[in-house]
Amino acid sequence: MKLLDKTPLSKWWAEAKENYNSDEILRVLLDNKDKLEESLAKLGGKKRLYSAFDRMFSFFSRLAGAADKISEKTQHFLMRFSWFRGFIEKARGWKNHLNFKELIEFARTKLYSLWHAPHNETAIKLLEEIVEFVSKHGVDINVYFPEAKQKLFEKKDQLLQHKFFQEFSQTRLEQLLAIQFSFDRSIFPVLPDTAFWHKFFEFAEKKKVVDIVLVNKNGKRVSFKKDSAEAIAATDTVLTLHKLSKIKNKGHRIFFVGHHEGYLGPYFVRSVIRKLGFHNLTRNCNTVVGPRMFSNVVLRNGAANVGNLFITVPSQKTTIIKTGGLAEELRKTAKRTQCLIKLPDAGLYLMKKLTYEEFMNAMVNGNPDAFVKHTSFMDDEIKVELTTFLETENFAEAMKSFSKGDYDLFKKIMKESFLIFPEGSRSYIDPDGGVVMKYVNPKYLQSYMRPGDFIASINLVGGSELTRGWHLRSATLGVSMGDPIEVTAEMIKNYEEEGIKVMRNIAQLPNIKDVRFKEEIQYKPARPERGMASGHNKYGNSANVNALVGVSYKRGEN
């Protein structure tokens, strides 16, 4: 049955869902492939200049990809010779992941950050629904509509890129520094010590950090630069780090939890622990950040100096994502983050043992025979724990877009420590210089921690004195730590009280200046933004972003 030429696809689809059965709908869709292809051709809008630039960047991106492959093969060949090996390794470390294709994509991103999206969003949603319907009813879309799925994916991704930079790039400078955001990735690797940006941070730190003061529980202060090695080794902070090293060596995960003072506060937590000699705890550590930290090259590389970056979404009480349609896509990315970090040890073992294809087949794509085969060695109790987790978290649905890149990276870092800053954005600074914690979302404890993990409370101050806007000033850092806390099932169940209790205890740790937890800030009722109805944003969409954890970044604050 052919559709009338003037019948809008959207009108027919609405009527078909109501009046036809699935077999009739499929038959009509297959008979009207030309109409679907015509709709696909219109997804990109009517801006010819935009389309021309997009095609040009796609062409050069393919050329750059080929050049990168040739470069990799050439380097692999030259690495056989000792006199080239050292030079190539240094060059790789300095540039980190940068290659020809990434440079082209950096230029292409200006289409998304500087231009308004020409795409027909309604048509994209309609075709996405149709493609999903066809796939669910056993039709191989790649056979009947060979270009549909890929073209729809490309246009939807372009639209989301526009939305992403509309939300997270406010100034012209941020738009010019914009880098493409990968909606199919949840993890970005930490900068290696040899990378340019890491070297730059180290250089600035040496120039501007006057001293690091270790503060004991009784208030005694020990200078990292002036006091003896014996005095430093006897501090409560160093003794606690020794305990944490032993705990980590036994296979437990460590979560360093602290407040967020200044732009560079999280970086200094990692840096100070390493300076004290505990590279095993934070050299390749992980951290959880909001999507804004991926919006431009400066923010991403700065954040990647803190650890391997896992993406989350903003808490409604700190930042509401206002751009319609963006929050839902980011929540999918953040849900993968939560599933990975919360995965039981049995799941981590399978991930370490299996290839990407085997893992996806057994754990995500719903092959019962493969699951039974790969879990046959497990005790019933362990298998039940894993199965319960997969069902409770709707693991298969959450991980259906899990990329091989994330899989390979997570296998290397799954047991590394985490740095968590539950305020999300920077703490307030009182007129007397004291640090005041912002609203803390206690859900970080439930979202990421498992029984048997350990919390390492850390109080580090001085970051706000070092960073004033884009300027760095000389300052002294102060650090103190609480005793390790083993996470229990009861704590996770009562996360609202326990998560806040951890932050209160951090505020009570002595330091070179006060850190304050104020009840009136934590329990102040959330108010809608001026000019907006409560629960809705300026686009008329629901603003109820169910954050996985409040590790987010306010616009204009990072």
Side-chain angles (χ1 to χ4, degrees):
M1 181 174 69
K2 295 289 289 184
L3 296 176
L4 296 175
D5 288 341
K6 294 184 179 181
T7 304
L9 187 62
S10 57
K11 181 180 179 181
W12 173 81
W13 181 245
E15 293 175 351
K17 288 190 295 182
E18 186 174 340
N19 301 316
Y20 302 157
N21 62 42
S22 58
D23 291 336
E24 291 172 328
I25 292 174
L26 286 173
R27 190 160 54 250
V28 173
L29 287 173
L30 294 174
D31 288 342
N32 290 272
K33 289 195 292 184
D34 55 336
K35 202 166 186 67
L36 285 175
E37 289 166 357
E38 181 185 341
S39 299
L40 281 168
K42 296 177 181 178
L43 292 181
K46 298 180 180 180
K47 290 190 177 180
R48 294 181 180 178
L49 184 60
Y50 181 100
S51 298
F53 273 116
D54 184 45
R55 287 194 294 270
M56 180 190 73
F57 281 123
S58 295
F59 172 73
F60 282 114
S61 182
R62 287 193 292 271
L63 287 181
D68 287 329
K69 289 181 180 178
I70 294 171
S71 174
E72 283 296 321
K73 289 181 179 179
T74 303
Q75 291 176 45
H76 182 72
F77 173 77
L78 293 176
M79 286 283 282
R80 299 176 182 177
F81 306 101
S82 57
W83 55 87
F84 283 118
R85 190 177 301 123
F87 172 77
I88 292 173
E89 288 175 348
K90 285 183 180 179
R92 282 178 171 177
W94 188 85
K95 72 182 182 65
N96 196 19
H97 63 285
L98 187 64
N99 53 35
F100 293 121
K101 187 170 183 178
E102 176 134 342
L103 289 173
I104 296 297
E105 294 302 328
F106 176 77
R108 187 210 286 264
T109 304
K110 306 308 165 288
L111 277 178
Y112 310 136
S113 63
L114 296 172
W115 293 44
H116 292 294
H119 304 75
N120 187 332
E121 185 171 2
T122 303
I124 289 176
K125 289 180 178 178
L126 172 65
L127 286 168
E128 194 175 23
E129 184 179 343
I130 292 175
V131 167
E132 186 177 356
F133 176 88
V134 169
S135 298
K136 280 185 176 179
H137 286 81
V139 175
D140 188 345
I141 194 166
N142 294 318
V143 173
Y144 293 97
F145 309 100
E147 297 182 2
K149 195 170 185 179
Q150 182 60 29
K151 194 164 187 178
L152 181 60
F153 172 81
E154 290 174 358
K155 296 305 178 184
K156 181 182 178 182
D157 184 71
Q158 288 179 353
L159 177 61
L160 288 172
Q161 295 293 334
H162 282 284
K163 289 175 175 289
F164 184 83
F165 295 110
Q166 176 185 339
E167 180 72 25
F168 297 113
S169 295
Q170 289 90 50
T171 68
R172 184 65 71 194
L173 178 61
E174 288 177 325
Q175 292 166 351
L176 291 172
L177 293 174
I179 49 177
Q180 196 160 2
F181 180 80
S182 298
F183 283 89
D184 63 337
R185 295 295 300 268
S186 295
I187 318 173
F188 185 83
V190 65
L191 287 182
D193 291 353
T194 52
F196 166 77
W197 280 96
H198 183 80
K199 294 286 188 185
F200 174 77
F201 271 61
E202 278 192 328
F203 173 79
E205 186 179 357
K206 288 177 182 177
K207 288 285 186 181
K208 297 300 181 181
V209 175
V210 177
D211 196 1
I212 300 170
V213 178
L214 309 178
V215 184
N216 289 340
K217 294 170 187 174
N218 61 8
K220 181 182 177 181
R221 301 180 180 186
V222 176
S223 167
F224 180 73
K225 292 190 175 181
K226 297 175 184 177
D227 287 316
S228 66
E230 291 77 12
I232 294 170
T235 60
D236 291 342
T237 296
V238 171
L239 294 175
T240 298
L241 291 171
H242 276 298
K243 291 179 185 177
L244 292 169
S245 290
K246 292 178 181 178
I247 291 170
K248 184 174 183 291
N249 290 339
K250 291 179 180 179
H252 298 279
R253 296 188 307 175
I254 308 297
F255 283 80
F256 289 91
V257 180
H259 57 94
H260 192 314
E261 187 197 349
Y263 293 109
L264 299 179
Y267 164 77
F268 286 124
V269 170
R270 178 183 183 227
S271 177
V272 166
I273 293 171
R274 293 188 67 185
K275 278 183 170 56
L276 292 172
F278 295 90
H279 295 277
N280 63 317
L281 291 175
T282 57
R283 181 186 181 91
N284 196 29
C285 64
N286 307 312
T287 190
V288 185
V289 298
R292 174 166 159 72
M293 302 310 288
F294 291 83
S295 62
N296 67 64
V297 66
V298 175
L299 289 179
R300 189 184 71 179
N301 282 293
N305 257 319
V306 181
N308 300 290
L309 306 178
F310 286 75
I311 305 171
T312 186
V313 291
S315 164
Q316 185 180 351
K317 290 193 176 182
T318 55
T319 305
I320 295 174
I321 296 177
K322 301 172 184 176
T323 306
L326 179 62
E328 181 60 33
E329 293 300 322
L330 290 175
R331 278 202 295 272
K332 293 176 184 177
T333 303
K335 180 62 177 177
R336 288 197 299 272
T337 288
Q338 183 189 20
C339 285
L340 286 173
I341 300 176
K342 290 273 289 185
L343 191 62
D345 283 338
L348 297 180
Y349 178 81
L350 288 178
M351 184 174 285
K352 189 174 182 179
K353 176 185 174 185
L354 304 179
T355 65
Y356 170 74
E357 291 75 17
E358 289 172 335
F359 180 86
M360 293 296 287
N361 194 31
M363 303 280 282
V364 179
N365 298 332
N367 185 327
D369 293 335
F371 183 81
V372 170
K373 173 186 174 183
H374 294 302
T375 58
S376 59
F377 67 95
M378 295 181 184
D379 294 337
D380 290 342
E381 185 178 348
I382 294 175
K383 192 183 296 186
V384 168
E385 179 192 14
L386 177 61
T387 305
T388 302
F389 173 84
L390 299 179
E391 293 174 353
T392 302
E393 298 296 333
N394 197 7
F395 190 83
E397 177 66 22
M399 304 300 286
K400 65 182 181 181
S401 299
F402 187 32
S403 70
K404 188 176 185 302
D406 276 358
Y407 183 82
D408 293 338
L409 178 55
F410 186 69
K411 285 175 76 169
K412 300 174 184 176
I413 62 177
M414 60 172 66
K415 286 290 189 176
E416 297 295 340
S417 306
F418 275 83
L419 310 186
I420 300 288
F421 305 93
E423 294 167 278
S425 56
R426 292 169 290 137
S427 305
Y428 301 107
I429 304 299
D430 268 350
D432 65 354
V435 180
V436 180
M437 290 185 186
K438 284 188 174 178
Y439 167 80
V440 171
N441 187 341
K443 204 168 185 180
Y444 71 91
L445 202 156
Q446 181 203 51
S447 295
Y448 299 134
M449 298 185 195
R450 312 168 310 170
D453 293 336
F454 279 77
I455 294 174
S457 304
I458 186 163
N459 180 319
L460 190 143
V461 299
S464 59
E465 278 82 13
L466 272 159
T467 51
R468 301 291 175 89
W470 289 94
H471 300 286
L472 294 178
R473 300 184 181 185
S474 298
T476 297
L477 301 177
V479 61
S480 59
M481 292 190 68
D483 292 327
I485 303 170
E486 183 173 3
V487 177
T488 64
E490 190 68 20
M491 287 177 64
I492 295 172
K493 180 180 178 182
N494 299 318
Y495 72 89
E496 291 183 333
E497 295 80 22
E498 296 293 339
I500 297 301
K501 181 181 177 181
V502 169
M503 299 306 289
R504 281 199 190 99
N505 290 340
I506 290 171
Q508 293 170 4
L509 290 171
N511 214 318
I512 58 175
K513 63 178 181 178
D514 288 343
V515 175
R516 298 157 187 156
F517 180 94
K518 294 186 176 180
E519 304 291 332
E520 60 268 28
I521 292 176
Q522 183 63 31
Y523 298 106
K524 183 179 180 179
R527 293 181 298 177
E529 292 191 24
R530 189 177 301 174
M532 295 186 189
S534 177
H536 290 77
N537 61 31
K538 64 181 179 182
Y539 297 92
N541 300 310
S542 174
N544 183 24
V545 181
N546 295 317
L548 297 179
V549 67
V551 186
S552 55
Y553 293 84
K554 280 201 172 184
R555 300 175 69 181
E557 288 201 349
N558 289 76

